[in-house]
């Protein structure tokens, strides 16, 4: 008896993204989500839209996407970005970008920072003027200044991060129930600040793009109402519902 590989069990042998479209072989399907769509299209001489539609139809998250849970966020800065990337199965730049957005210093000092001996006077200047100007004055890179400033808990304004306006219970209850942009407007905070707070609490974003797993009750709703209405009921995007319905061969409502 020949055992099927993980890829064969996880994905069908081929997938058709639309009527009359080219059937994609398993070799292509196995790359979806593990390699950038542009690279898959280049490797197999396919149209980018075809690759993207196939991945979305199979509900495979795009390459490099991370569901940032509190446990995953705790890994940032505890080891090199490359090691964290290997653990989470993404590229190092994804880890670097997330760490910088949250103001988490890199693991260990950079070579340039290790060579630079910070004086008390230099540390006192951190956050008082732009990092780029301090970098020019101290003879180091802007990233080195920013990392040192953030490791001391100093914002670019010179104020500790803790001085930021505290979140009220009512504001916290809005996270994940409304789009981050709406919460930002209501609470008068930056959108990135809202997103970082939500992710640090492990709260999923409003209108998730993927459902895992689909329950029997959810599937029974497909085709019984418009995709728009079902999407609102489930709190997901319309495309998520329509792709799942099409994949199961369920006719649209009406």
């Amino acid at each position: 008896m020949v055992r099927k590989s993980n890829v064969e069990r996880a994905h069908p042998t081929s997938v058709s993204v639309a009527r009359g479209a080219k059937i994609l072989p398993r070799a292509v399907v196995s790359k979806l989500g593990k390699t950038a769509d542009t690279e898959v299209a280049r490797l197999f001489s396919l149209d980018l839209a075809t690759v993207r539609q196939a991945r979305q139809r199979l509900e495979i998250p795009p390459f490099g996407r991370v569901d940032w849970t509190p446990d995953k966020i705790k890994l940032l800065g505890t080891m090199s970005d490359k090691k964290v990337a290997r653990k989470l199965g993404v590229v190092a730049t994804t880890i670097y970008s997330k760490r910088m957005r949250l103001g988490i210093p890199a693991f260990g000092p950079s070579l340039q920072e290790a060579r630079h001996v910070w004086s008390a006077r230099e540390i006192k200047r951190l956050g008082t003027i732009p990092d780029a100007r301090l970098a020019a004055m101290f003879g180091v890179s802007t990233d080195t200044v920013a990392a040192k400033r953030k490791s001391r808990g100093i914002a670019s304004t010179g104020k500790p991060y803790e001085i930021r306006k505290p979140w009220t219970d009512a504001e916290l209850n809005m996270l994940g129930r409304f789009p981050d942009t709406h919460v930002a407007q209501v609470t008068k905070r930056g959108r990135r600040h809202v997103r970082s707070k939500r992710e640090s609490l492990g709260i999923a974003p409003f209108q998730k793009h993927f459902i895992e797993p689909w329950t029997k009750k959810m599937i029974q709703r497909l085709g019984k109402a418009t995709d728009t209405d079902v999407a609102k009921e489930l709190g997901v995007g319309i495309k998520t519902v329509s792709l799942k319905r099409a994949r199961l061969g369920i006719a649209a409502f009406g």
Side-chain angles (χ1 to χ4, degrees):
M1 178 178 176
V2 179
R3 293 185 177 181
K4 291 185 177 181
S5 65
N6 291 334
V7 171
E8 290 175 314
R9 288 194 296 269
H11 303 296
T13 301
S14 60
V15 58
S16 176
V17 297
R19 289 183 180 178
K22 182 179 180 180
I23 300 296
L24 298 183
R26 187 170 61 246
V28 176
V29 176
S30 66
K31 291 286 186 181
L32 300 178
K34 298 178 181 178
T35 307
D37 291 347
T38 52
E39 182 64 12
V40 175
R42 186 188 67 80
L43 287 173
F44 296 95
S45 300
L46 295 169
D47 182 76
L48 177 59
T50 299
V51 174
R52 185 172 295 150
Q53 288 172 10
R55 178 178 55 73
Q56 292 174 341
R57 184 162 186 172
L58 291 173
E59 297 183 9
I60 300 174
F63 175 72
R65 176 173 174 169
V66 178
D67 180 14
W68 288 105
T69 62
D71 287 340
K72 290 178 181 178
I73 291 175
K74 287 179 182 178
L75 290 174
L76 301 177
T78 61
M79 60 187 78
S80 69
D81 291 346
K82 287 185 178 180
K83 287 186 177 180
V84 177
R86 283 198 294 269
K87 278 182 172 290
L88 301 185
V90 295
V91 294
T93 52
T94 298
I95 304 302
Y96 171 81
S97 298
K98 182 65 176 179
R99 182 172 54 73
M100 292 302 291
R101 282 202 302 270
L102 296 178
I104 299 174
F107 175 72
S110 65
L111 290 176
Q112 193 172 30
E113 185 176 357
R115 293 171 184 158
H116 184 76
V117 179
W118 289 85
S119 67
R121 183 179 180 183
E122 288 174 338
I123 292 175
K124 192 174 181 179
R125 296 295 302 276
L126 294 174
T128 60
I129 60 176
D131 293 341
R133 288 181 58 188
L134 288 177
M137 292 169 58
F138 301 159
V140 296
S141 69
T142 302
D143 287 343
T144 296
V145 174
K148 187 67 175 180
R149 173 174 55 75
K150 291 174 182 178
S151 69
R152 292 279 177 144
I154 302 172
S156 58
T157 58
K159 298 178 181 179
Y161 289 119
E162 291 73 20
I163 290 180
R164 284 177 174 172
K165 184 176 68 171
W167 286 79
T168 65
D169 290 339
E171 290 173 338
L172 291 174
N173 286 334
M174 295 177 67
L175 298 175
R177 297 185 178 183
F178 301 93
D180 291 345
T181 50
H182 175 73
V183 178
Q185 291 174 352
V186 173
T187 63
K188 296 182 179 180
R189 290 181 169 86
R191 182 177 60 82
R192 288 187 177 182
H193 185 191
V194 172
R195 184 174 64 181
S196 295
K197 183 65 175 179
R198 175 175 54 73
E199 291 177 342
S200 69
L201 296 174
I203 299 174
F206 174 77
Q207 201 175 76
K208 291 170 60 179
H209 295 292
F210 299 94
I211 295 180
E212 187 62 33
W214 279 80
T215 65
K216 185 176 180 180
K217 187 175 181 180
M218 290 178 180
I219 293 175
Q220 288 176 343
R221 290 295 299 147
L222 299 176
K224 300 295 178 61
T226 64
D227 291 347
T228 301
D229 289 340
V230 175
K232 288 180 180 179
E233 291 177 18
L234 302 182
V236 297
I238 299 174
K239 183 178 289 186
T240 298
V241 174
S242 60
L243 288 174
K244 183 66 175 180
R245 178 178 53 72
R247 184 184 177 193
L248 295 176
I250 300 174
F253 176 78

